[in-house]
Amino acid sequence: MRFLNKPLLNYSQRLRRLRYFALGFLLCLLIPLTSLLYFGYQQLEENALASYQREADAFVISVNRKLFTKLTLSNNLPNNAFAYYQQIYNPLTKQLQQSISPLSDLDVEQLAVQRYIRGLVGYFQYDNKGHFNSPVWPFSWSKEDDNYIAQGENDSELIAREKLAVKVYKILSESSTIENQLRWGIKKEDGLFKVIFDIPKYFIFYRIVSNGQQNKLQGYIVERQAYLQYAFIGLLEKRRFTSPVLVKLQNINSPNQADYFLYESSSDGIIEVKPKLPIDGNWQQQLDGNWQQQLISRSRLSSPFGDYWVFVSTDKIPMTASMLFSKLFILVLIVVILAACYGFYRLGVSQLMLAEQRLNFVSSVSHELKTPLTSIRMYSEMLKQGTIISKQHRQDYYEFIYNESGRLTRLINNILQLSSLSNQQQNIKLEPTELALLQDIIRSKTSSIIEKHGFQQNFLMELPCAENLTVLVDQDAFSQVIINITDNAIKFFDKTRIKDVCRQKIDFIFRFHPSHKQWIQLEIRDYGEGITTDQASKIFGLFYRGGDELKRTTQGTGIGLALVDELMIAQQGKVEIARKDPGLAMLLSFQYKPALEADETSI
């Protein structure tokens, strides 16, 4: 019962409640849906990241396999190939023969290609006494030797070999690991190659082999950057990275020392950025800031490169086709939801407006019916009872009853005609009608109401040869249109505010349509207060009446001009509004034909 006692809401309150309901419904729909779509899109991003992570892990596995393969090939090098001369057993003569080592080639680049060791600097060997030797140099020397170059030798090849051997020896002299090996004695090991990382620009691969009672330390030196590039470049090209990828190699024993390889796929293949060593600090900071926003993988290389960590990162995970379609789907879905909610909101507003207009219509019709009926009944009872003795008064009462009954008839006819138009039951028959006849219809239908209210009726024909023109109209519908417009103009002419008698007039002007050659335009002009721009956009709306119904002083139901619009459409014409200063003009447009064509059509 508590709900039955709640007061009825007015239009503004219902509109506010509708807005709150529409907004709440939109939020209840968007919040869970947006959350679902967001997490779904996040899952797609995680799937893309997982795909990149699998590619990065497969890349690191390939690097480890390639490094292991290269070390395996190095482990197969003969022990006696690290000196200039090597002893080879001849099975035919069953004797040892001396030959030059296959590693003694001076063309280091060619040798590096043959041995699959990119960045090769040279080979070396130390005996258990610490004497240095190289396959490119037939002599050996120790740390105590002051002069490496053989005296009196002018052979250019021998000088080139000696320079290469000196270069290798000097690089080895900078290694503390090599120095400790030689200081404490070369101890026997498994004979497999290991790596020394204590020189920034080079890798030193070494192994300890035994030859009888003697241990030897032998190996080779490679340039770190070239060796790593060869190990990484080809493998990166085989991976399916569609966005630029930064590979960072960092030695855990030297945190400030890092190698960067930036690879970007393009139409020409792989674009490689190779920073110089030692890397510039500002550029290193820029690389870390721009390309390590999304860490894809972090892995440690296998032995003997266990001191190196491989970081694979990118600035962003590329958008896959599914991610792109998901974004478009989310965008389209949100737009559709917003459009649908807005459409339902506008539908609700239109229904509220229609309900408000109908309420106003009921109120105005009730007023329009009640007031004249009350007066008619009162005057009828007085005449019936014979209380009116004066003949003049009786005649006035008869006239009043007649006029009020006519007004009620017009009101009811408007309602019935509008209903028949809305239900498509109106029978409109267009017939060619001469302009002179239209003028007579206007005079006959409007003269009484115009004269009654003290208005003046003016006709103006701006058409040459008007007698040869006929207009396609339905005469009954045309009469109803003229009556409604004239009645509306007189009804809203406020004499208390407009105290100019010269403005109490209505003009009827015939002219050709300014833009349509086959149309004639009838302008019905009044000189009242006119209407606002906002009212002009609503004036043909059903049940629309400007102002507040509770404060209204003019009669009417709000269907007169709506009926005018419907009747003009039914006659294949149109009605427009032109705001004047002062007043308002109704522009009625009809199709016309020359009189000769009209006669031929009728025949």
Side-chain angles (χ1 to χ4, degrees):
M1 295 298 296
R2 55 182 287 186
F3 296 102
L4 297 178
N5 297 327
K6 296 182 67 175
L8 294 176
L9 303 178
N10 57 29
Y11 173 75
S12 60
Q13 291 173 331
R14 283 180 290 168
L15 181 60
R16 189 182 304 111
R17 176 170 293 185
L18 175 64
R19 289 174 179 171
Y20 290 154
F21 175 79
L23 182 60
F25 177 76
L26 179 62
L27 292 178
C28 291
L29 188 63
L30 280 183
I31 290 176
L33 182 61
T34 304
S35 301
L36 181 63
L37 294 176
Y38 172 76
F39 288 115
Y41 185 77
Q42 288 292 108
Q43 185 62 42
L44 290 177
E45 287 188 333
E46 292 178 2
N47 292 341
L49 178 60
S51 175
Y52 257 51
Q53 289 174 341
R54 289 192 295 269
E55 288 294 320
D57 293 339
F59 163 70
V60 175
I61 292 174
S62 301
V63 170
N64 281 323
R65 185 183 296 115
K66 187 172 184 179
L67 293 176
F68 175 78
T69 301
K70 293 173 68 175
L71 277 179
T72 301
L73 294 175
S74 299
N75 287 326
N76 292 329
L77 288 173
N79 296 346
N80 59 358
F82 286 81
Y84 185 77
Y85 295 106
Q86 62 177 353
Q87 303 294 330
I88 300 177
Y89 177 75
N90 191 339
L92 296 178
T93 61
K94 297 182 179 179
Q95 294 180 352
L96 293 176
Q97 295 180 351
Q98 192 178 47
S99 64
I100 299 177
S101 171
L103 306 181
S104 62
D105 193 348
L106 271 178
D107 191 349
V108 180
E109 293 184 1
Q110 181 65 28
L111 190 62
V113 173
Q114 293 175 358
R115 300 297 174 180
Y116 300 100
I117 304 175
R118 296 300 173 89
L120 178 65
V121 177
Y123 293 91
F124 66 91
Q125 180 175 265
Y126 284 96
D127 59 17
N128 57 355
K129 296 182 180 180
H131 292 164
F132 169 82
N133 196 9
S134 174
V136 298
W137 183 244
F139 308 104
S140 62
W141 61 73
S142 64
K143 186 177 180 181
E144 289 77 14
D145 294 335
D146 296 332
N147 189 8
Y148 309 132
I149 302 178
Q151 299 293 331
E153 296 290 346
N154 295 321
D155 190 339
S156 58
E157 181 180 348
L158 187 62
I159 293 175
R161 290 180 177 275
E162 188 174 23
K163 287 182 178 180
L164 180 58
V166 169
K167 178 181 179 181
V168 173
Y169 180 75
K170 288 184 176 180
I171 293 174
L172 294 172
S173 300
E174 299 176 5
S175 173
S176 58
T177 304
I178 296 293
E179 185 178 355
N180 290 333
Q181 287 277 0
L182 298 177
R183 179 182 300 174
W184 303 108
I186 302 175
K187 297 180 181 180
K188 183 177 180 180
E189 294 182 356
D190 54 9
L192 299 178
F193 275 99
K194 300 177 180 59
V195 186
I196 299 174
F197 304 102
D198 56 2
I199 302 179
K201 294 184 179 181
Y202 302 98
F203 288 150
I204 300 176
F205 292 84
Y206 77 98
R207 69 181 179 184
I208 298 177
V209 297
S210 298
N211 185 7
Q213 299 297 323
Q214 187 178 13
N215 296 329
K216 293 184 179 181
L217 187 150
Q218 54 188 214
Y220 55 91
I221 303 173
V222 297
E223 293 181 355
R224 186 182 72 183
Q225 189 76 19
Y227 188 83
L228 293 176
Q229 286 176 5
Y230 175 70
F232 282 79
I233 290 176
L235 297 178
L236 270 177
E237 293 176 352
K238 298 177 181 179
R239 302 265 62 88
R240 291 177 295 178
F241 294 121
T242 56
S243 67
V245 173
L246 177 69
V247 178
K248 178 182 178 181
L249 299 177
Q250 190 166 30
N251 193 324
I252 58 176
N253 297 321
S254 303
N256 296 327
Q257 180 181 333
D259 297 288
Y260 291 84
F261 303 98
L262 175 61
Y263 295 91
E264 181 177 1
S265 59
S266 66
S267 58
D268 299 331
I270 298 294
I271 300 175
E272 176 190 357
V273 178
K274 299 185 293 184
K276 297 180 179 179
L277 294 177
I279 190 170
D280 181 74
N282 293 332
W283 199 41
Q284 178 177 353
Q285 184 177 3
Q286 181 180 355
L287 284 173
D288 290 340
N290 294 343
W291 297 97
Q292 293 191 18
Q293 298 177 11
Q294 183 70 58
L295 181 63
I296 301 174
S297 174
R298 179 179 179 269
S299 305
R300 192 170 184 173
L301 292 179
S302 302
S303 178
F305 293 92
D307 290 343
Y308 270 87
W309 283 86
V310 180
F311 300 89
V312 182
S313 59
T314 183
D315 59 339
K316 61 180 179 180
I317 297 297
M319 184 177 297
T320 61
S322 58
M323 293 170 65
L324 178 60
F325 291 147
S326 297
K327 275 192 172 182
L328 292 177
F329 174 74
I330 291 172
L331 180 61
V332 171
L333 185 59
I334 291 177
V335 170
V336 169
I337 291 175
L338 292 176
C341 290
Y342 180 75
F344 283 121
Y345 169 74
R346 294 304 305 172
L347 179 62
V349 171
S350 63
Q351 292 299 315
L352 287 179
M353 293 177 63
L354 181 60
E356 184 71 13
Q357 289 173 351
R358 287 176 176 174
L359 183 62
N360 292 338
F361 170 72
V362 171
S363 176
S364 60
V365 167
S366 300
H367 178 75
E368 291 291 315
L369 292 175
K370 182 178 180 180
T371 302
L373 284 175
T374 301
S375 301
I376 290 173
R377 181 174 181 179
M378 180 184 66
Y379 290 144
S380 299
E381 289 179 353
M382 295 173 63
L383 292 172
K384 180 180 179 181
Q385 294 174 0
T387 57
I388 307 300
I389 302 175
S390 174
K391 184 177 180 180
Q392 180 63 36
H393 287 169
R394 286 199 304 270
Q395 187 65 30
D396 292 340
Y397 290 166
Y398 290 143
E399 184 70 22
F400 179 82
I401 293 173
Y402 175 80
N403 291 335
E404 290 300 309
S405 61
R407 185 158 68 90
L408 291 177
T409 301
R410 289 196 302 272
L411 172 61
I412 294 172
N413 288 338
N414 282 341
I415 296 174
L416 294 176
Q417 194 168 22
L418 182 63
S419 176
S420 63
L421 281 174
S422 300
N423 296 325
Q424 298 182 352
Q425 297 174 353
Q426 180 74 10
N427 187 14
I428 299 294
K429 295 181 180 179
L430 298 181
E431 297 178 352
T433 305
E434 296 179 356
L435 291 180
L437 181 56
L438 291 182
Q439 287 181 324
D440 292 339
I441 292 175
I442 294 174
R443 287 191 181 94
S444 62
K445 298 297 182 181
T446 63
S447 58
S448 60
I449 187 174
I450 286 179
E451 293 174 359
K452 177 182 176 181
H453 292 86
F455 275 71
Q456 180 182 355
Q457 188 179 52
N458 300 323
F459 286 90
L460 181 61
M461 187 68 67
E462 297 181 355
L463 295 170
C465 303
E467 63 277 2
N468 295 328
L469 298 177
T470 59
V471 181
L472 297 177
V473 296
D474 181 281
Q475 294 184 16
D476 293 335
F478 179 79
S479 301
Q480 189 66 40
V481 168
I482 297 301
I483 292 172
N484 287 355
I485 294 178
T486 305
D487 182 68
N488 191 76
I490 294 175
K491 181 170 55 180
F492 286 95
F493 189 90
D494 192 352
K495 294 183 179 180
T496 60
R497 299 182 59 181
I498 305 175
K499 298 180 181 181
D500 188 356
V501 181
C502 296
R503 290 175 59 178
Q504 290 183 222
K505 60 182 179 179
I506 298 178
D507 297 336
F508 296 88
I509 306 172
F510 287 90
R511 65 168 68 95
F512 284 115
H513 196 282
S515 57
H516 295 278
K517 296 181 178 180
Q518 299 299 322
W519 284 18
I520 284 180
Q521 188 177 81
L522 169 59
E523 177 182 336
I524 305 177
R525 163 78 185 279
D526 66 64
Y527 294 84
E529 293 185 340
I531 59 175
T532 63
T533 305
D534 182 62
Q535 290 174 333
S537 62
K538 303 176 182 178
I539 196 169
F540 293 113
L542 185 60
F543 308 138
Y544 175 76
R545 281 162 56 86
D548 189 356
E549 291 294 333
L550 299 178
K551 301 179 181 179
R552 190 178 312 285
T553 58
T554 57
Q555 301 174 347
T557 59
I559 64 174
L561 293 183
L563 181 58
V564 168
D565 187 44
E566 294 289 342
L567 289 173
M568 289 301 299
I569 294 175
Q571 297 179 90
Q572 300 179 7
K574 65 178 181 178
V575 57
E576 298 173 297
I577 291 178
R579 298 171 61 205
K580 300 292 185 177
D581 186 18
L584 181 69
M586 293 286 180
L587 306 178
L588 307 179
S589 300
F590 302 93
Q591 299 182 29
Y592 80 93
K593 290 183 177 181
L596 182 59
E597 294 183 11
D599 294 340
E600 292 176 356
T601 303
S602 61
I603 293 174

